[in-house]
């Protein structure tokens, strides 16, 4: 879990009520996703803030991201994990990350996941996505 690897001071989690309450019994969990994340955060001393929203509504997602960004300082270290969630959240998080990378130097965009069999993926895609969006902007 990214939160355990990075040990941030504060983690914001965009989630629907359904995802927050979901228990992945097939994955071997007996607690909801929200409880699993909260437990991991507590173990490492990270404050976690769940931002519940309709994860298919771009405007609502944008409002929640705006709330998060409004409380940040340009010198803060930011890690945007766009691994889980709806496609709407993923595209908005990715776009937001590239947009704010222009004025926030301590930003990383990562894809991090741990599968039930223990396999983990941790890909820092900041540079690759930044180059891609720069190329796309130049092409338009």
């Amino acid at each position: 879990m990214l939160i355990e690897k990075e040990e941030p001071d504060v983690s914001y989690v965009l989630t629907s009520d359904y995802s927050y309450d979901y228990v992945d019994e097939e994955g071997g969990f007996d607690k909801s996703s929200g409880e699993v994340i909260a437990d991991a955060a507590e173990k490492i001393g990270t404050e976690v803030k769940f931002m519940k929203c309709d994860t298919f509504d771009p405007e609502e997602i944008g409002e929640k991201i705006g709330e998060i960004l409004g409380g940040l300082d340009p010198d803060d270290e930011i890690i945007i994990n766009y691994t889980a969630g709806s496609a709407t959240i993923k595209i908005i998080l990715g776009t937001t990350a590239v947009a704010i990378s222009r004025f926030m130097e301590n930003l990383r965009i990562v894809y991090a996941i741990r599968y039930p069999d223990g396999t983990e993926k941790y890909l820092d895609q900041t540079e690759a996505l930044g180059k891609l969006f720069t190329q796309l902007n130049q092409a338009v």
Side-chain angles (χ1 to χ4, degrees):
M1 187 179 295
L2 181 69
I3 199 169
E4 295 165 327
K5 181 178 180 76
E6 296 291 345
E7 297 185 9
D9 295 332
V10 180
S11 289
Y12 295 91
V13 179
L14 292 168
T15 185
S16 65
D17 286 324
Y18 172 80
S19 291
Y20 179 86
D21 293 330
Y22 178 73
V23 178
D24 181 11
E25 292 174 359
E26 289 181 25
F29 293 96
D30 59 357
K31 294 183 177 182
S32 72
S33 298
E35 291 172 309
V36 170
I37 293 168
D39 288 350
E42 186 176 342
K43 282 181 192 173
I44 58 173
T46 294
E47 179 183 1
V48 64
K49 296 181 179 183
F50 291 98
M51 310 292 285
K52 292 185 179 180
C53 61
D54 177 344
T55 57
F56 298 98
D57 182 343
E59 289 180 21
E60 196 170 333
I61 295 166
E63 287 173 16
K64 295 298 179 183
I65 291 174
E67 288 177 34
I68 294 167
L69 294 176
L72 298 179
D73 184 282
D75 294 327
D76 287 344
E77 179 181 7
I78 299 172
I79 302 166
I80 295 181
N81 178 1
Y82 70 97
T83 308
S86 69
T88 309
I89 282 185
K90 290 177 186 184
I91 196 165
I92 293 172
L93 282 177
T95 304
T96 299
V98 171
I100 67 174
S101 70
R102 294 179 182 170
F103 59 89
M104 298 196 84
E105 294 183 27
N106 298 320
L107 171 75
R108 285 185 287 143
I109 308 165
V110 300
Y111 185 92
I113 191 166
R114 182 178 359 177
Y115 295 98
D117 69 0
T119 303
E120 291 187 40
K121 286 270 188 201
Y122 182 93
L123 305 169
D124 184 334
Q125 299 180 329
T126 310
E127 188 175 329
L129 290 173
K131 285 180 183 178
L132 174 64
F133 275 85
T134 298
Q135 290 169 350
L136 292 172
N137 278 334
Q138 291 171 351
V140 179

